[in-house]
Amino acid sequence: MRARPKRRLDFTPDHSVEITVAPNGGACFGVVRAIKLGFQAAAATGKVHSIGPLIHNESVVRELERRGVSTVAGADEVTEGTAILRSHGIRRQAEATLRERGVKVIDATCPLVKKPQRIAQALGEKGYFLVLVGDPNHPEVQGVLSYFGRPDYAVLYDPAALDAVPTGTRRVGILAQTTIEASVLEAVTAAARERFEEVAVYNTICDATSVRQTEAATLSRTADVVVVVGGHHSSNTNKLVKICRGNQPDTHHVESIEEIEPAWFAGKRKIAVTGGASTPQDYVDLAAEHIATLLGRP
Ligand code: F3S
């Protein structure tokens, strides 16, 4: 992960307005890697199919498309050429189908998503019941489940949902979606330890996510207004928004600088700007620069 120096735009002569950019706000190494692989593949082959959006950021996806990386809904649509697997990964069977068809596969799955995939596979082989803490509709979760390869699993956030685990289950393996909050995994783990004989816990939460979440929490505690930059469908960006809103209700989620409204900053002295792990860092910096311009920076 590339750490930026802490940035502060303090541009008013009387130091009345301060804009602070979260030091690590913006793209994580997995996203930077996926974008780079996408651009490289497009330059080398002219046309690449991304199975689902390569990352959860519309603006970047549009730029990738301009350069030859087109998004398809599923692996079924790709019968030849080159396919790139997104940072969240895809289902195991879908990747196998692509390879069977002779499609060249470029694997941009984040190494930190590959880890829960590998662990899920091992838990499946050893006969554990899998508790996957996360969002059942998220592509990363669906990909991880495909590696587990068995029907005895539960995907949940709420410890109370462990009630649905069949009676008689003894051995439970717990995995986390990379982007969830650590406190959620802790709560599910504590509840599971009270119910099951053997609980194997694998903290597969991504460090990039927790670093951004901690920074967002710290910044939003003292800010008068917070702007979070990132895709509206990005799970990690939405988590940052939730954390910031918890501390500062005056938190705004934007995907592009055009959505930023000058009225948000009227009478505010401390402005914080951060971005989700799928937002290029340049976009986060650009948002801070844009706010400074809106506020009349000379
Ligand atoms: Fe990978 Fe973590 Fe980013 S899982 S894609 S480095 S948020």
Side-chain angles (χ1 to χ4, degrees):
M1 188 191 335
R2 180 169 66 96
R4 282 178 305 177
K6 192 166 183 178
R7 293 197 54 204
R8 219 168 233 145
L9 308 183
D10 184 4
F11 54 90
T12 49
D14 57 354
H15 306 291
S16 58
V17 178
E18 184 182 88
I19 303 176
T20 305
V21 183
N24 288 288
C28 58
F29 90 92
V31 164
V32 171
R33 177 175 170 270
I35 296 171
K36 196 169 149 202
L37 285 171
F39 284 143
Q40 279 174 352
T45 64
K47 185 158 180 58
V48 181
H49 305 284
S50 171
I51 316 298
L54 192 56
I55 65 165
H56 282 165
N57 186 289
E58 288 276 338
S59 316
V60 178
V61 168
R62 275 199 299 274
E63 177 59 18
L64 282 159
E65 262 169 19
R66 218 178 49 76
R67 300 221 214 157
V69 183
S70 61
T71 302
V72 295
D76 290 351
E77 294 180 36
V78 186
T79 52
E80 56 180 6
T82 304
I84 185 164
L85 312 187
R86 58 195 170 185
S87 52
H88 294 306
I90 66 169
R91 290 174 204 256
R92 190 181 185 186
Q93 299 81 353
E95 181 179 345
T97 304
L98 286 171
R99 292 190 191 275
E100 279 160 19
R101 286 180 181 152
V103 173
K104 182 173 180 218
V105 174
I106 293 167
D107 191 357
T109 309
C110 176
L112 296 182
V113 172
K114 285 205 159 283
K115 187 175 159 193
Q117 290 178 344
R118 276 195 305 271
I119 298 171
Q121 187 175 352
L123 288 171
E125 286 163 5
K126 289 179 190 158
Y128 278 78
F129 186 96
L130 174 66
V131 171
L132 182 44
V133 186
D135 172 2
N137 298 315
H138 195 281
E140 177 193 318
V141 168
Q142 291 165 357
V144 169
L145 287 177
S146 72
Y147 279 80
F148 182 63
R150 294 175 12 164
D152 38 355
Y153 64 82
V155 183
L156 50 88
Y157 275 115
D158 183 355
L162 287 171
D163 287 346
V165 177
T167 323
T169 301
R170 288 178 46 247
R171 298 196 305 159
V172 169
I174 301 182
L175 279 180
Q177 184 181 337
T178 53
T179 46
I180 67 157
E181 289 163 51
S183 58
V184 179
L185 175 63
E186 282 159 19
V188 173
T189 299
R193 286 201 167 120
E194 283 177 11
R195 286 166 194 243
F196 308 107
E197 230 172 280
E198 185 188 330
V199 179
V201 185
Y202 301 88
N203 183 347
T204 45
I205 296 174
C206 169
D207 174 51
T209 307
S210 56
V211 165
R212 281 155 187 73
Q213 290 178 353
T214 306
E215 279 181 3
T218 306
L219 275 178
S220 57
R221 264 184 222 115
T222 52
D224 300 322
V225 56
V226 183
V227 175
V228 183
V229 188
H232 289 298
H233 301 297
S234 154
S235 153
N236 64 73
T237 305
N238 281 308
K239 293 263 165 50
L240 288 187
V241 172
K242 187 176 154 209
I243 290 168
C244 292
R245 274 207 185 118
N247 290 329
Q248 174 48 267
D250 231 343
T251 292
H252 305 277
H253 178 178
V254 300
E255 188 158 327
S256 66
I257 59 171
E258 289 75 32
E259 294 168 50
I260 295 173
E261 294 179 23
W264 296 344
F265 312 105
K268 309 289 186 188
R269 293 173 63 87
K270 284 181 169 242
I271 301 165
V273 181
T274 188
S278 49
T279 312
Q281 291 194 337
D282 291 352
Y283 288 27
V284 182
D285 291 342
L286 199 64
E289 298 284 350
H290 183 67
I291 294 166
T293 306
L294 287 176
L295 294 178
R297 180 180 58 179

